[in-house]
mmCIF file of all heavy atoms in Angstrom:
data_model
loop_
_atom_site.group_PDB
_atom_site.id
_atom_site.type_symbol
_atom_site.label_atom_id
_atom_site.label_comp_id
_atom_site.label_asym_id
_atom_site.label_seq_id
_atom_site.Cartn_x
_atom_site.Cartn_y
_atom_site.Cartn_z
ATOM 1 N N ARG A 172 15.113 13.242 -31.452
ATOM 2 C CA ARG A 172 16.114 14.113 -30.746
ATOM 3 C C ARG A 172 15.991 13.848 -29.229
ATOM 4 O O ARG A 172 17.033 14.123 -28.517
ATOM 5 C CB ARG A 172 15.958 15.550 -31.086
ATOM 6 C CG ARG A 172 16.368 15.809 -32.534
ATOM 7 C CD ARG A 172 15.983 17.223 -33.005
ATOM 8 N NE ARG A 172 16.343 17.435 -34.370
ATOM 9 C CZ ARG A 172 15.704 18.348 -35.133
ATOM 10 N NH1 ARG A 172 14.688 19.051 -34.649
ATOM 11 N NH2 ARG A 172 16.100 18.515 -36.387
ATOM 12 N N LEU A 173 14.836 13.588 -28.726
ATOM 13 C CA LEU A 173 14.706 13.273 -27.249
ATOM 14 C C LEU A 173 15.820 12.265 -26.824
ATOM 15 O O LEU A 173 16.393 12.439 -25.760
ATOM 16 C CB LEU A 173 13.356 12.698 -27.013
ATOM 17 C CG LEU A 173 13.085 12.120 -25.596
ATOM 18 C CD1 LEU A 173 13.004 13.239 -24.530
ATOM 19 C CD2 LEU A 173 11.815 11.300 -25.567
ATOM 20 N N VAL A 174 16.035 11.305 -27.661
ATOM 21 C CA VAL A 174 17.022 10.268 -27.361
ATOM 22 C C VAL A 174 18.380 10.579 -27.948
ATOM 23 O O VAL A 174 19.431 10.511 -27.313
ATOM 24 C CB VAL A 174 16.532 8.804 -27.917
ATOM 25 C CG1 VAL A 174 17.568 7.750 -27.563
ATOM 26 C CG2 VAL A 174 15.166 8.489 -27.301
ATOM 27 N N SER A 175 18.435 10.985 -29.198
ATOM 28 C CA SER A 175 19.709 11.108 -29.901
ATOM 29 C C SER A 175 20.563 12.293 -29.342
ATOM 30 O O SER A 175 21.804 12.218 -29.409
ATOM 31 C CB SER A 175 19.475 11.299 -31.415
ATOM 32 O OG SER A 175 18.828 12.575 -31.686
ATOM 33 N N MET A 176 19.931 13.355 -28.878
ATOM 34 C CA MET A 176 20.690 14.450 -28.280
ATOM 35 C C MET A 176 21.039 14.427 -26.827
ATOM 36 O O MET A 176 21.819 15.117 -26.325
ATOM 37 C CB MET A 176 19.931 15.795 -28.540
ATOM 38 C CG MET A 176 19.953 16.224 -29.998
ATOM 39 S SD MET A 176 19.088 17.801 -30.176
ATOM 40 C CE MET A 176 19.407 18.196 -31.900
ATOM 41 N N ALA A 177 20.355 13.465 -26.108
ATOM 42 C CA ALA A 177 20.447 13.399 -24.682
ATOM 43 C C ALA A 177 21.855 13.235 -24.171
ATOM 44 O O ALA A 177 22.275 13.881 -23.224
ATOM 45 C CB ALA A 177 19.624 12.329 -24.167
ATOM 46 N N ARG A 178 22.570 12.359 -24.801
ATOM 47 C CA ARG A 178 23.949 12.097 -24.287
ATOM 48 C C ARG A 178 24.848 13.260 -24.365
ATOM 49 O O ARG A 178 25.712 13.446 -23.505
ATOM 50 C CB ARG A 178 24.530 10.892 -25.239
ATOM 51 C CG ARG A 178 25.862 10.431 -24.740
ATOM 52 C CD ARG A 178 26.363 9.290 -25.686
ATOM 53 N NE ARG A 178 27.680 8.887 -25.359
ATOM 54 C CZ ARG A 178 27.887 7.934 -24.468
ATOM 55 N NH1 ARG A 178 26.926 7.323 -23.865
ATOM 56 N NH2 ARG A 178 29.165 7.554 -24.201
ATOM 57 N N ASP A 179 24.609 14.187 -25.272
ATOM 58 C CA ASP A 179 25.449 15.439 -25.390
ATOM 59 C C ASP A 179 25.305 16.273 -24.098
ATOM 60 O O ASP A 179 26.136 17.146 -23.818
ATOM 61 C CB ASP A 179 25.013 16.248 -26.584
ATOM 62 C CG ASP A 179 25.355 15.552 -27.893
ATOM 63 O OD1 ASP A 179 26.278 14.679 -27.901
ATOM 64 O OD2 ASP A 179 24.755 15.885 -28.939
ATOM 65 N N TYR A 180 24.198 16.069 -23.333
ATOM 66 C CA TYR A 180 23.939 16.866 -22.157
ATOM 67 C C TYR A 180 24.054 15.963 -20.905
ATOM 68 O O TYR A 180 23.423 16.311 -19.862
ATOM 69 C CB TYR A 180 22.546 17.548 -22.336
ATOM 70 C CG TYR A 180 22.482 18.400 -23.519
ATOM 71 C CD1 TYR A 180 21.939 17.917 -24.697
ATOM 72 C CD2 TYR A 180 23.064 19.670 -23.504
ATOM 73 C CE1 TYR A 180 22.003 18.746 -25.871
ATOM 74 C CE2 TYR A 180 23.071 20.517 -24.605
ATOM 75 C CZ TYR A 180 22.536 19.976 -25.818
ATOM 76 O OH TYR A 180 22.500 20.807 -26.948
ATOM 77 N N GLY A 181 24.758 14.878 -20.982
ATOM 78 C CA GLY A 181 24.929 14.031 -19.795
ATOM 79 C C GLY A 181 23.778 13.278 -19.403
ATOM 80 O O GLY A 181 23.639 12.923 -18.167
ATOM 81 N N ILE A 182 22.946 12.894 -20.356
ATOM 82 C CA ILE A 182 21.678 12.197 -20.045
ATOM 83 C C ILE A 182 21.627 10.866 -20.775
ATOM 84 O O ILE A 182 21.868 10.839 -21.998
ATOM 85 C CB ILE A 182 20.418 13.043 -20.422
ATOM 86 C CG1 ILE A 182 20.489 14.376 -19.751
ATOM 87 C CG2 ILE A 182 19.122 12.312 -20.165
ATOM 88 C CD1 ILE A 182 19.407 15.370 -20.296
ATOM 89 N N ASN A 183 21.285 9.842 -20.100
ATOM 90 C CA ASN A 183 20.932 8.593 -20.760
ATOM 91 C C ASN A 183 19.345 8.549 -20.825
ATOM 92 O O ASN A 183 18.716 8.554 -19.749
ATOM 93 C CB ASN A 183 21.436 7.349 -19.954
ATOM 94 C CG ASN A 183 22.771 6.866 -20.548
ATOM 95 O OD1 ASN A 183 22.967 6.910 -21.749
ATOM 96 N ND2 ASN A 183 23.666 6.393 -19.668
ATOM 97 N N GLN A 184 18.812 8.528 -21.991
ATOM 98 C CA GLN A 184 17.431 8.647 -22.215
ATOM 99 C C GLN A 184 16.871 7.444 -22.949
ATOM 100 O O GLN A 184 17.354 7.110 -24.053
ATOM 101 C CB GLN A 184 17.053 9.918 -23.016
ATOM 102 C CG GLN A 184 15.626 10.065 -23.405
ATOM 103 C CD GLN A 184 14.708 10.215 -22.254
ATOM 104 O OE1 GLN A 184 14.775 11.241 -21.555
ATOM 105 N NE2 GLN A 184 13.779 9.283 -21.998
ATOM 106 N N SER A 185 15.972 6.754 -22.337
ATOM 107 C CA SER A 185 15.372 5.578 -22.988
ATOM 108 C C SER A 185 14.347 6.010 -23.975
ATOM 109 O O SER A 185 13.780 7.113 -23.858
ATOM 110 C CB SER A 185 14.728 4.598 -21.970
ATOM 111 O OG SER A 185 13.606 5.259 -21.343
ATOM 112 N N ALA A 186 14.068 5.185 -25.005
ATOM 113 C CA ALA A 186 13.029 5.489 -25.964
ATOM 114 C C ALA A 186 11.660 4.910 -25.591
ATOM 115 O O ALA A 186 10.641 5.336 -26.037
ATOM 116 C CB ALA A 186 13.454 4.923 -27.350
ATOM 117 N N ASP A 187 11.730 3.950 -24.621
ATOM 118 C CA ASP A 187 10.519 3.218 -24.245
ATOM 119 C C ASP A 187 10.592 2.939 -22.709
ATOM 120 O O ASP A 187 11.651 2.726 -22.183
ATOM 121 C CB ASP A 187 10.329 1.937 -25.006
ATOM 122 C CG ASP A 187 9.148 1.148 -24.582
ATOM 123 O OD1 ASP A 187 8.032 1.489 -24.957
ATOM 124 O OD2 ASP A 187 9.294 0.178 -23.759
ATOM 125 N N PHE A 188 9.464 2.920 -22.005
ATOM 126 C CA PHE A 188 9.463 2.716 -20.557
ATOM 127 C C PHE A 188 10.264 1.500 -20.159
ATOM 128 O O PHE A 188 10.998 1.539 -19.169
ATOM 129 C CB PHE A 188 7.998 2.613 -20.017
ATOM 130 C CG PHE A 188 7.931 2.493 -18.615
ATOM 131 C CD1 PHE A 188 7.831 3.654 -17.768
ATOM 132 C CD2 PHE A 188 7.856 1.259 -17.925
ATOM 133 C CE1 PHE A 188 7.774 3.568 -16.409
ATOM 134 C CE2 PHE A 188 7.775 1.187 -16.534
ATOM 135 C CZ PHE A 188 7.707 2.300 -15.782
ATOM 136 N N TRP A 189 10.109 0.410 -20.876
ATOM 137 C CA TRP A 189 10.673 -0.894 -20.472
ATOM 138 C C TRP A 189 12.164 -1.073 -20.930
ATOM 139 O O TRP A 189 12.773 -2.087 -20.582
ATOM 140 C CB TRP A 189 9.826 -2.072 -20.963
ATOM 141 C CG TRP A 189 8.454 -1.955 -20.344
ATOM 142 C CD1 TRP A 189 7.282 -1.622 -20.953
ATOM 143 C CD2 TRP A 189 8.081 -2.271 -19.003
ATOM 144 N NE1 TRP A 189 6.203 -1.648 -20.082
ATOM 145 C CE2 TRP A 189 6.666 -2.099 -18.840
ATOM 146 C CE3 TRP A 189 8.822 -2.711 -17.856
ATOM 147 C CZ2 TRP A 189 6.049 -2.271 -17.665
ATOM 148 C CZ3 TRP A 189 8.155 -2.921 -16.707
ATOM 149 C CH2 TRP A 189 6.778 -2.721 -16.549
ATOM 150 N N ASP A 190 12.758 -0.119 -21.609
ATOM 151 C CA ASP A 190 14.128 -0.219 -21.991
ATOM 152 C C ASP A 190 15.018 -0.299 -20.754
ATOM 153 O O ASP A 190 15.989 -1.065 -20.696
ATOM 154 C CB ASP A 190 14.577 0.989 -22.846
ATOM 155 C CG ASP A 190 14.015 0.933 -24.225
ATOM 156 O OD1 ASP A 190 13.479 -0.123 -24.661
ATOM 157 O OD2 ASP A 190 14.111 1.976 -24.893
ATOM 158 N N TYR A 191 14.675 0.476 -19.761
ATOM 159 C CA TYR A 191 15.494 0.560 -18.552
ATOM 160 C C TYR A 191 14.857 -0.120 -17.316
ATOM 161 O O TYR A 191 15.489 -0.273 -16.266
ATOM 162 C CB TYR A 191 15.782 1.999 -18.096
ATOM 163 C CG TYR A 191 16.661 2.833 -18.991
ATOM 164 C CD1 TYR A 191 16.965 4.120 -18.726
ATOM 165 C CD2 TYR A 191 17.329 2.250 -20.102
ATOM 166 C CE1 TYR A 191 17.773 4.931 -19.509
ATOM 167 C CE2 TYR A 191 18.176 3.004 -20.921
ATOM 168 C CZ TYR A 191 18.357 4.336 -20.639
ATOM 169 O OH TYR A 191 19.237 5.078 -21.444
ATOM 170 N N VAL A 192 13.614 -0.504 -17.497
ATOM 171 C CA VAL A 192 12.819 -1.027 -16.396
ATOM 172 C C VAL A 192 12.417 -2.520 -16.558
ATOM 173 O O VAL A 192 11.986 -2.882 -17.637
ATOM 174 C CB VAL A 192 11.538 -0.153 -16.188
ATOM 175 C CG1 VAL A 192 10.643 -0.746 -15.071
ATOM 176 C CG2 VAL A 192 11.903 1.278 -15.901
ATOM 177 N N LYS A 193 12.609 -3.270 -15.409
ATOM 178 C CA LYS A 193 12.186 -4.707 -15.484
ATOM 179 C C LYS A 193 10.930 -4.930 -14.637
ATOM 180 O O LYS A 193 10.205 -5.885 -14.884
ATOM 181 C CB LYS A 193 13.267 -5.598 -15.039
ATOM 182 C CG LYS A 193 13.675 -5.429 -13.571
ATOM 183 C CD LYS A 193 14.838 -6.342 -13.216
ATOM 184 C CE LYS A 193 15.354 -6.114 -11.778
ATOM 185 N NZ LYS A 193 16.491 -7.003 -11.444
ATOM 186 N N ASP A 194 10.612 -4.057 -13.651
ATOM 187 C CA ASP A 194 9.439 -4.262 -12.848
ATOM 188 C C ASP A 194 9.089 -2.975 -12.151
ATOM 189 O O ASP A 194 9.911 -2.006 -12.115
ATOM 190 C CB ASP A 194 9.740 -5.305 -11.740
ATOM 191 C CG ASP A 194 8.475 -5.869 -11.178
ATOM 192 O OD1 ASP A 194 7.337 -5.541 -11.666
ATOM 193 O OD2 ASP A 194 8.541 -6.706 -10.176
ATOM 194 N N VAL A 195 7.813 -2.809 -11.718
ATOM 195 C CA VAL A 195 7.317 -1.601 -11.050
ATOM 196 C C VAL A 195 6.720 -2.015 -9.727
ATOM 197 O O VAL A 195 5.900 -3.014 -9.673
ATOM 198 C CB VAL A 195 6.258 -0.948 -11.942
ATOM 199 C CG1 VAL A 195 5.616 0.298 -11.171
ATOM 200 C CG2 VAL A 195 6.903 -0.467 -13.223
#
Side-chain angles (χ1 to χ4, degrees):
R172 291 168 181 156
L173 171 71
V174 179
S175 67
M176 288 186 172
R178 187 181 175 88
D179 294 338
Y180 302 96
I182 302 168
N183 265 325
Q184 174 66 66
S185 66
D187 178 78
F188 184 87
W189 297 106
D190 286 349
Y191 290 178
V192 175
K193 64 182 177 183
D194 200 5
V195 175

